[in-house]
Amino acid sequence: MPANLPPQYFEKEKELKKAKNPQERISVLEDLLAIVPKHKGTEKLQAQLKTKIAKLKTESQKSPAVARHTAAFQVEKTGAGQVVVIGSPNSGKSSLIKALTNANPDIGDYPFTTRLPSPAMMPYENIQIQLVDMPPITQDYFEFWQAELIKAADAILLVLDISLPEPAEDFLTLLAKLEEKRIDLVPKEREVPQEKQQFMKKTLILANKTDSPRAEENLTSIKEFLDPGFEPVPVSIFEEHTLTDLKTRIYVLLDVIRVYSKIPGKKVDHEDPYVFKRGSSLMDMAKAVHKDFAQRLKYARIWGKNKYQGQKVTRSYILEDEDIIELHI
Ligand SMILES: Nc1nc2c(ncn2[C@@H]2O[C@H](COP(=O)(O)OP(=O)(O)OP(=O)(O)O)[C@@H](O)[C@H]2O)c(=O)[nH]1
Ligand SMILES: [Mg+2]
């Protein structure tokens, strides 16, 4: 028996993606449960929602000691992608995060100002990208959980301080520490097979503090130490245009696309795109909207660049950036 869910259900369901903590998630799930029409066709869905709510409630009631311990070492992914920011002490990681997001991290001219991983959301056009501030990596300090966070990330920003007399020194120390954990930084263009994505991390190298007096000559000297394919990006918290440029580069680094869902007969909502890895198919989109769509999808109509507008496509269609999709079941 079909579920025949009302449009409000799918509207509400979008809020799940935006929920920032278990409490918010519980509240959205409870709303969804209230919206679901109560009949035989929705019994399974009702049960699933109830199980999710119960699980979240149990988790949030666990002893604070346990919760604090795990929370300190894990950063739950939210938004269009998770980018972990690494570098030596004082390289300017927290300052950059402060400049790119609404977060207000501690900043200081002494090492280890940052002690714990701390996520912040960077708005980019109509999406949000998660940046994770980290304590520094040094010869003597590179914790297990730092490596785990790097391995789990979608991409890495490596912040170098090019106001230092020998910026390459810190860079080489950092690479050696990463190598101990078999982590290899690679430029965006490098092809990384699926099974190696945990250890070969797409990285943007930032030449930070480009406002400083020796920046230009230090930038030239640092290039000699970089693997081919890496082009350090000059940035400074005091030069707005470098930050604007950086935002775009972070988006490009993630290699994602934005797709808009359209309800037949209605206008498209450009404010709230679905975000997918490049190469995702129409089926991935259907699954993201709802599993009912995934099972019963017949075809979709597409509006987008280089297309006949309203063109029909089938399940295996590979989505393109800025496609507008109308799913038909
Ligand atoms: N001139 C200049 N100074 C900067 C820039 N960005 C950061 N700084 C300074 O560099 C120092 C360190 O900045 P933080 O942002 O705390 O550096 P961090 O990498 O987070 O340091 P840790 O948390 O200790 O690893 C501070 O004194 C900042 O004011 C920049 O673009 N230009
Ligand atoms: Mg810091």
Side-chain angles (χ1 to χ4, degrees), residues 153-201:
D154 296 313
I156 305 293
L157 291 188
L158 167 54
V159 184
L160 298 178
D161 180 349
I162 57 158
S163 70
L164 295 174
E166 299 284 350
E169 249 174 49
D170 280 349
F171 175 59
L172 295 176
T173 305
L174 208 130
L175 285 193
K177 296 307 284 182
L178 292 172
E179 206 183 327
E180 283 174 14
K181 298 277 196 281
R182 295 187 295 140
I183 297 167
D184 193 10
L185 305 182
V186 298
K188 185 200 165 280
E189 287 69 26
R190 183 88 56 88
E191 215 38 71
V192 177
Q194 182 91 37
E195 68 279 10
K196 295 208 170 140
Q197 278 174 7
Q198 229 196 328
F199 292 97
M200 291 173 76
K201 304 310 292 187

Side-chain angles (χ1 to χ4, degrees), residues 79-188:
Q82 185 185 64
V83 182
V84 167
V85 183
I86 62 171
S88 301
N90 284 336
S91 52
K93 301 177 290 299
S94 303
S95 303
L96 277 172
I97 285 174
K98 187 178 157 90
L100 296 170
T101 71
N102 291 325
N104 198 10
D106 287 338
I107 289 163
D109 56 2
Y110 49 90
F112 289 90
T113 312
T114 307
R115 299 242 159 212
L116 288 173
S118 171
M121 300 312 285
M122 178 185 87
Y124 177 76
E125 295 181 353
N126 52 1
I127 58 166
Q128 303 272 337
I129 295 172
Q130 185 186 46
L131 303 182
V132 184
D133 197 1
M134 292 276 267
I137 297 171
T138 70
Q139 184 60 40
D140 304 319
Y141 186 87
F142 186 36
E143 299 286 293
F144 168 78
W145 62 265
Q146 286 175 293
E148 290 306 302
L149 271 176
I150 293 170
K151 289 194 306 199
D154 296 313
I156 305 293
L157 291 188
L158 167 54
V159 184
L160 298 178
D161 180 349
I162 57 158
S163 70
L164 295 174
E166 299 284 350
E169 249 174 49
D170 280 349
F171 175 59
L172 295 176
T173 305
L174 208 130
L175 285 193
K177 296 307 284 182
L178 292 172
E179 206 183 327
E180 283 174 14
K181 298 277 196 281
R182 295 187 295 140
I183 297 167
D184 193 10
L185 305 182
V186 298
K188 185 200 165 280

Side-chain angles (χ1 to χ4, degrees), residues 16-45:
L16 265 187
K17 282 198 289 182
K18 293 180 196 153
K20 288 186 207 71
N21 52 47
Q23 272 65 38
E24 281 185 27
R25 210 161 292 133
I26 290 169
S27 154
V28 179
L29 286 166
E30 285 176 339
D31 288 349
L32 285 172
L33 190 57
I35 296 169
V36 172
K38 309 292 179 291
H39 58 70
K40 193 119 192 84
T42 63
E43 268 173 11
K44 207 168 145 199
L45 176 61

